[in-house]
Amino acid sequence: MTEAAELPEAPAVAREVFGERFPDAVRYAELLADAGVRRGLIGPREVPRLWERHLLNCAVLSEAIEGDVSVCDVGSGAGLPGIPLALVRPDLSITLLEPLLRRTTFLTEVVELLRLDHVTVVRGRAEEVLGKLPPVHVVTARAVAPLERLAGWGVPLLRPYGEMLALKGDTAEEEVKAASAALSKLGAVSTSVVQVGDGIVDPLSTVVRVEVGESPGGVRFATKKAKAARARRRR
């Protein structure tokens, strides 16, 4: 039996969440269960829980995002949460940022197959694209790194008064406390832990929301952005 055959049928609630893009969500789940496993993007043990633990868990992040904004999914990996988010929110302009070639190849194939015209795949690390990509309203991430390290990568990509939304688990509160000083230096003005997905996922999806002021990333990153912008103008 192949890994793809182990993929369970989509739960009824998935039809409600993904709406008219439900067939595309099914196709994405099939790709994860097949090519995603073969290419080492997800573990084979994740296949039986792809819907509840991964697709739906990521799709409900949309509850925390306002309409018609730009999003950068840092360390997108196999496209989680970026692809489910794109399926439920065609109003968002989404960049999937991922440094590994085998992953960006997979992401590009998925984006083209599902005709996600509002999604762009970029290969690179957050610190490498700083000043090269337009600042975004929202940075998302899931299972990338501890909050303090993640914020150092993601917060500088934000536009003034933007926010980073990190899907976390039971350690969310502890990570917020541990990262408090670092977040302040990065220009964060508010940090909170919220839960989304009521009536859709159980347990609820836990999200750390980091809101920034007028200088996301702090003074050091503002200088780095300015240098990158000058370099672009000289080309």
Side-chain angles (χ1 to χ4, degrees):
M1 181 180 292
T2 67
E3 284 82 356
E6 297 173 7
L7 178 68
E9 184 178 351
V13 70
R15 293 181 177 273
E16 301 175 22
V17 171
F18 291 101
E20 64 181 17
R21 298 306 297 263
F22 173 70
D24 292 321
V26 173
R27 185 69 184 115
Y28 177 51
E30 292 171 345
L31 288 168
L32 287 174
D34 185 6
V37 172
R38 285 190 286 103
R39 299 185 192 183
L41 304 182
I42 67 166
R45 293 184 180 180
E46 296 303 311
V47 173
R49 50 186 183 178
L50 268 178
W51 284 104
E52 288 81 1
R53 185 180 176 88
H54 298 287
L55 273 74
L56 290 172
N57 177 270
C58 291
V60 296
L61 182 61
S62 65
E63 297 177 15
I65 301 177
E66 295 183 359
D68 300 301
V69 298
S70 55
V71 177
C72 181
D73 188 30
V74 172
S76 195
L80 301 165
I83 296 296
L85 192 59
L87 288 171
V88 298
R89 292 292 299 275
D91 61 304
L92 303 177
S93 175
I94 300 177
T95 298
L96 306 180
L97 181 61
E98 169 56 47
L100 296 184
L101 177 59
R102 62 187 172 88
R103 293 176 180 172
T104 54
T105 299
F106 175 79
L107 292 173
T108 300
E109 292 171 359
V110 171
V111 167
E112 292 177 353
L113 179 66
L114 302 185
R115 298 182 181 179
L116 297 172
D117 298 333
H118 58 305
V119 178
T120 302
V121 178
V122 174
R123 185 186 176 196
R125 300 181 185 278
E127 56 269 34
E128 296 171 345
V129 301
L130 185 64
K132 299 177 182 178
L133 292 180
V136 295
H137 296 90
V138 179
V139 163
T140 60
R142 178 178 187 256
V144 173
L147 182 61
E148 181 173 342
R149 200 181 334 153
L150 173 62
W153 299 332
V155 168
L157 298 176
L158 292 169
R159 59 186 291 169
Y161 307 104
E163 61 182 9
M164 183 179 76
L165 301 174
L167 279 162
K168 289 289 183 178
D170 297 337
T171 63
E173 295 283 358
E174 288 78 5
E175 288 194 47
V176 168
K177 292 178 182 178
S180 177
L183 291 172
S184 180
K185 290 180 180 179
L186 287 168
V189 296
S190 176
T191 305
S192 58
V193 177
V194 298
Q195 292 188 310
V196 293
D198 186 27
I200 299 171
V201 292
D202 184 18
L204 299 178
S205 297
T206 300
V207 181
V208 174
R209 169 181 270 136
V210 179
E211 300 175 76
V212 301
E214 61 182 12
S215 298
V219 176
R220 182 164 64 92
F221 288 100
T223 302
K224 189 173 182 179
K225 287 179 183 177
K227 288 182 178 178
R230 287 196 296 272
R232 287 200 311 276
R233 288 195 294 270
R234 287 195 293 267
R235 293 191 187 118

